[in-house]
Amino acid sequence: MDESVRKAVLGAVPSLRAFAISLCGNVDRADDLVQETLLRALANIDSFQPGTNMSAWLFTILRNHFRSEYRKRRREVEDSDGHYAETLKSQPEQYGQVEYREFREALAQLPQDQREALILVGASGFSYEEAANICGCAVGTIKSRVNRARTRLAELMHVNSAEDFGPDETVRAVLASGE
């Protein structure tokens, strides 16, 4: 494998992991998703077109694999009311953890397409055009999804407006923590 391709793949891993965590909501599942993404990418590295965006290619693989797995898991019984999960929680030790938890919960309440667009643009640093290519939709659709996601997050977090919220930095901070 070409050294520049290897570096590009390795350089994308932290962002892939953050995106996977935002999709899964579970660090272990996210790590498995990233690993499977890298395996698929390496197995199909010949289909990568040199000179194009390696990160966007990897994010597309990750997103498509997540969606495939999601469709398979829809038939599984989940803890939909959160009753069992609630018994596993421990009380936060400091105020920052409370804010972190509230943000994660608010982020999880966003529709999948809005959360995905916000993470790609706000946290992963992709342009609207790159995010639109990853999601397979128009640039205007991505812009609309990001705007609606920011507005809804502000509402859920009881912030006066999305401008006061600064979601891009918050999303980055939450995802960088790796939880």
Side-chain angles (χ1 to χ4, degrees):
M1 176 186 306
D2 183 65
E3 183 64 21
S4 64
V5 172
R6 188 180 78 76
K7 284 182 180 179
V9 170
L10 292 176
V13 170
S15 296
L16 285 172
R17 185 171 187 266
F19 185 53
I21 290 169
S22 73
L23 292 175
C24 298
N26 177 300
V27 175
D28 293 330
R29 280 185 48 213
D31 287 342
D32 290 344
L33 182 59
V34 170
Q35 182 177 359
E36 183 62 29
T37 298
L38 293 174
L39 288 173
R40 288 175 182 222
L42 293 175
N44 296 297
I45 197 68
D46 295 336
S47 67
F48 175 71
Q49 297 175 359
T52 60
N53 188 334
M54 174 65 78
S55 290
W57 186 65
L58 292 170
F59 270 72
T60 303
I61 294 170
L62 187 143
R63 178 180 176 267
N64 290 343
H65 181 61
F66 171 78
R67 293 236 168 141
S68 295
E69 288 298 312
Y70 176 78
R71 283 190 293 273
K72 289 177 188 176
R73 277 192 312 264
R74 278 197 311 200
R75 295 183 190 110
E76 295 177 4
V77 176
E78 292 187 21
D79 184 24
S80 60
D81 63 355
H83 181 70
Y84 179 71
E86 194 68 37
T87 64
L88 301 175
K89 290 184 179 178
S90 61
Q91 294 301 318
E93 296 175 14
Q94 62 193 65
Y95 187 69
Q97 290 178 342
V98 173
E99 289 177 337
Y100 171 78
R101 185 194 71 215
E102 289 173 351
F103 178 79
R104 293 288 299 198
E105 290 171 358
L107 190 63
Q109 289 181 40
L110 293 176
Q112 176 69 29
D113 60 343
Q114 290 178 18
R115 182 172 58 244
E116 186 175 78
L118 182 63
I119 298 302
L120 287 171
V121 173
S124 298
F126 285 104
S127 68
Y128 288 115
E129 292 79 14
E130 291 169 327
N133 285 335
I134 291 169
C135 293
C137 63
V139 174
T141 301
I142 289 294
K143 289 180 179 180
S144 175
R145 288 176 183 174
V146 169
N147 183 50
R148 283 184 276 141
R150 287 177 174 153
T151 301
R152 183 66 181 135
L153 270 180
E155 290 171 3
L156 292 169
M157 299 291 295
H158 306 289
V159 177
N160 292 337
S161 72
E163 289 78 25
D164 295 340
F165 186 51
D168 295 349
E169 292 77 22
T170 307
V171 170
R172 282 189 194 100
V174 168
L175 296 178
S177 71
E179 294 185 21

